[in-house]
Amino acid sequence: MVRLHFDPFVSSNFDLREARFHVLVDNYVALSNFTVSDTLVKEYLVWVSQNKLVITIVPTQKGKLGFVNAIEVLSAPKDLIPDTATLVRDGETQKFEGLIKQGLETVHRVNVGGPKVTPFNDSVWRTWIPDDGFFKSSDLSSKVHFSGRINYQVGGASREVCPDFVYNSARVIASKSSSIPEANMTWVFRVTGGHRYLVRLHFCDIASLSLGSLYFNVYINEQLASKDVDLSSIAYELASPYYADFVVDSDNLGAVSVVIGRSNLSMAYAVDGILNGVEIMKMNNSMASFDGKMCRGMALKNWPRGNSGGLITLVVVLCLLLLSVSMLMRRKIVRVKDSFSWTKLPTEVSEVNLKVGIQSSLGGKF
C-alpha cells in the first residue's frame, strides 16, 4: 500500500503549482503529466514480488519540476485483497481471478450513513468520507447507527479490511407496514473512463431484529450483480460484517452506480435493504497505467538527455527512504523471531499513542 501526499507551495526558488511530472510506482504509471494546485493524497495497492519498491518522479520536460511532500509505504494486511471477485458485464456475472496481482488505485472510500472516519480511527490509516455527496435517493430510506459490538468472524471481514466506525452505521430501506416499499437506494460515483473498477460493498446487519428477515438485490451500473442477498446465511449472526467484491467497466458517462433494492423475498415489517460502506478502486489498464495510455518506458523517455543526474538523485533518495522501511521491518522480524505478519492495531487509543505504536511496528512515513 503506497500513499503519496502532495501539497504545492510557493517558495523564493520554486512554485510547485507549476510542476508537471510523471510518477512511477515500480512498473506502474501512477500519474502522467500530473499537476496539482491543492492538497491531495493518492493511494495505490501494488503487488511487490521483490524486496524493494521503487518510486520514480519524472519531470515532463526541461524546466519543469517534480515533487512529493510525503510518502507512506505499508505492508498491506494479507486479507485486504483476495484473488477472486465477481465480474459484472453484459447483464451476466462470472468469476474474476488474478485480483491479488492487479494494480489498484483508490478512487472513493465512503462511510454510508455515518460521519467522516479519520486515519486515527482506522488501523491502516485510511480516511472514509460521508456518502451524502454520492447518495441520490432518500425519500424512503433512513440512516441507522449502532452502539453495540461488531461481531467479527474468522474468514469474514476484519478491522483491517474495514473499521468498526464504518460497520456501526448504515442506510436502510425498511417496511413499516404490511406492504413492501417499491424503493431503491442509489449512489453514483464519478470515475475515469477506459478502466475497469473494483467495487467493494460492505454490509453489516445492524438494523434487523432477527436473522432471516433481510433480503435484497444489488445492482451495479444498472446490472444485477447479486440477487436475494441474505446476510444471515453468510454471517450466521446479526452485526457480523461481510464484504462483496465486484469488477465492472465504467460507462461512457464516467460513472459507477450502486443500487440496493428490494428482493422478491423481502418481507413486510422488516428491513428490505442495507449498505454500510463503499470502496471503488481503479484497475490498471493494458499499459500498466492508472492515468492514460503512457507506459513506464514512454514516461522515462520523456526525461531530457543531459538531465538524468537530477532524476537519478531523486530515485536514490527515495530508495534510501524505502531502505529505512525495510530495516525497521527487519528489526521487528528479529525481535519476534518469526516471519513478518500483519500486526493488528487498536482503534480506540489516543492519537499520540497510535502514532508511537505505528512507527515502532510497521514500515514508515516520510
Side-chain angles (χ1 to χ4, degrees), residues 5-9 16-17 19 21 23 36 57 65-69:
H5 297 253
F6 301 96
D7 187 9
F9 58 83
L16 296 183
R17 297 171 301 181
F21 52 96
V23 179
V36 57
I57 296 178
L65 301 173
F67 76 97
V68 63
N69 300 82

Side-chain angles (χ1 to χ4, degrees), residues 315-328:
V315 175
V316 168
V317 170
L318 292 176
C319 287
L320 288 174
L321 291 174
L322 292 172
L323 178 60
S324 68
V325 179
S326 176
M327 292 174 66
L328 285 171

Side-chain angles (χ1 to χ4, degrees), residues 82 193 211:
L211 292 171

Side-chain angles (χ1 to χ4, degrees), residues 57-360:
I57 296 178
V58 188
T60 56
Q61 60 187 30
K62 185 177 181 179
K64 290 295 183 181
L65 301 173
F67 76 97
V68 63
N69 300 82
I71 301 172
E72 297 177 70
V73 178
L74 298 88
S75 175
K78 63 181 181 180
D79 60 342
L80 186 63
I81 302 296
D83 196 45
T84 61
T86 299
L87 175 64
V88 182
R89 185 174 58 182
D90 300 328
E92 298 180 348
T93 61
Q94 61 188 76
K95 188 176 182 180
F96 182 92
E97 297 182 299
L99 186 62
I100 195 171
K101 293 189 177 181
Q102 178 79 41
L104 300 169
E105 176 191 349
T106 301
V107 181
H108 299 287
R109 182 174 284 129
V110 174
N111 183 17
V112 175
K116 180 179 179 178
V117 179
T118 66
F120 296 106
N121 290 314
D122 185 306
S123 60
V124 199
W125 310 332
R126 294 165 295 200
T127 298
W128 303 72
I129 65 173
D131 71 321
D132 302 275
F134 310 98
F135 191 56
K136 303 301 179 183
S137 55
S138 59
D139 291 343
L140 297 176
S141 67
S142 60
K143 296 181 180 180
V144 296
H145 301 276
F146 181 66
S147 59
R149 179 182 178 182
I150 299 300
N151 300 311
Y152 292 94
Q153 298 187 36
V154 176
S158 66
R159 284 187 175 89
E160 283 69 48
V161 170
C162 183
D164 290 26
F165 291 92
V166 174
Y167 288 130
N168 277 331
S169 63
R171 287 189 190 264
V172 301
I173 299 174
S175 172
K176 299 180 181 179
S177 64
S178 58
S179 62
I180 301 174
E182 294 285 346
N184 293 327
M185 297 187 293
T186 302
W187 293 261
V188 178
F189 302 91
R190 303 303 301 177
V191 297
T192 304
H195 288 265
R196 280 184 168 176
Y197 287 83
L198 172 64
V199 180
R200 173 167 291 182
L201 304 181
H202 294 273
F203 303 101
C204 186
D205 189 358
I206 57 174
S208 295
L209 298 178
S210 62
L211 292 171
S213 61
L214 170 60
Y215 297 89
F216 58 92
N217 293 338
V218 176
Y219 303 86
I220 301 179
N221 287 350
E222 301 182 352
Q223 302 180 78
L224 181 62
S226 189
K227 184 179 180 181
D228 300 330
V229 177
D230 174 17
L231 296 180
S232 63
S233 67
I234 300 170
Y236 302 107
E237 62 179 312
L238 297 176
S240 183
Y242 163 77
Y243 68 89
D245 286 342
F246 303 94
V247 173
V248 299
D249 297 312
S250 59
D251 62 22
N252 295 328
L253 299 178
V256 170
S257 65
V258 175
V259 177
I260 302 295
R262 56 165 288 182
S263 159
N264 290 334
L265 302 178
S266 295
M267 302 179 182
Y269 299 103
V271 178
D272 299 314
I274 190 170
L275 185 62
N276 302 76
V278 181
E279 294 178 87
I280 296 183
M281 304 179 194
K282 181 193 297 184
M283 302 170 69
N284 65 272
N285 60 21
S286 59
M287 305 291 286
S289 173
F290 300 104
D291 189 11
K293 298 295 184 180
M294 179 180 293
C295 67
R296 183 177 184 275
M298 294 171 60
L300 291 174
K301 286 181 180 179
N302 277 0
W303 183 250
R305 293 186 178 182
N307 290 277
S308 58
L311 174 63
I312 294 172
T313 301
L314 182 58
V315 175
V316 168
V317 170
L318 292 176
C319 287
L320 288 174
L321 291 174
L322 292 172
L323 178 60
S324 68
V325 179
S326 176
M327 292 174 66
L328 285 171
M329 292 172 64
R330 184 168 297 178
R331 282 201 296 268
K332 178 177 177 60
I333 295 173
V334 173
R335 187 166 59 248
V336 298
K337 296 183 179 180
D338 200 353
S339 60
F340 179 77
S341 61
W342 178 260
T343 302
K344 294 186 177 181
L345 299 175
T347 58
E348 298 177 358
V349 297
S350 68
E351 180 174 322
V352 174
N353 288 338
L354 180 57
K355 287 182 178 179
V356 173
I358 289 172
Q359 291 173 353
S360 64

